[in-house]
Amino acid sequence: MTDIVYIHGLRVDTVIGVYAWERNVRQELELDLEMASDVAAAARSDAITDALDYHAVAERVRALAAASSCRLVETLAENVATALMAEFAVPWLRIRVNKPGAVPGARGVGVLIERGSPRAQ
């Protein structure tokens, strides 16, 4: 069985884009994260120290985005995935990065990436 801890609709501000004007402004992106985590120990102990702390994950993602100046959402997604897997011992994750307003007539565009193996716990 694979348990998943998720954060949906996380809004972050970052410099992102390929156009010259985008390099001089901060834009808001929206991220959805799903991360494999065995929640059984946390459920038994009812202690945050035994859980994947989604507040800490969200703060780390915000910090990564704030310090970033990627041109592509693909690069930001990959950077976030790499950091979360290393720093939070997440064996598998799925990240959706949405860039609202990037294409006229579309609610948003972006990427969905999946890294690791949910069975690697």
Side-chain angles (χ1 to χ4, degrees):
M1 173 192 288
T2 300
D3 302 326
I4 294 177
V5 173
Y6 69 88
I7 302 170
H8 287 172
L10 180 65
R11 293 188 176 127
V12 301
D13 287 320
T14 191
V15 173
I16 190 101
V18 297
Y19 299 111
W21 69 267
E22 291 180 299
R23 308 310 301 157
N24 298 310
V25 298
R26 297 190 76 73
Q27 297 183 65
E28 185 177 79
L29 302 178
E30 186 175 278
L31 283 77
D32 291 337
L33 300 105
E34 297 179 1
M35 301 159 286
S37 178
D38 184 352
V39 303
R44 281 191 302 276
S45 70
D46 201 26
I48 191 66
T49 54
D50 292 327
L52 176 56
D53 184 343
Y54 51 79
H55 178 76
V57 169
E59 289 303 309
R60 183 62 178 124
V61 172
R62 282 191 186 107
L64 285 165
S68 175
S69 62
C70 301
R71 295 185 179 280
L72 302 176
V73 293
E74 292 87 343
T75 306
L76 181 63
E78 192 67 42
N79 292 347
V80 168
T82 299
L84 295 183
M85 292 180 83
E87 297 172 27
F88 293 91
V90 173
W92 169 91
L93 55 71
R94 179 181 296 136
I95 301 173
R96 182 185 67 87
V97 180
N98 181 43
K99 187 176 178 184
V103 172
R107 189 173 28 220
V109 299
V111 298
L112 175 68
I113 67 168
E114 189 173 312
R115 298 291 180 266
S117 170
R119 303 285 182 216
Q121 298 184 43

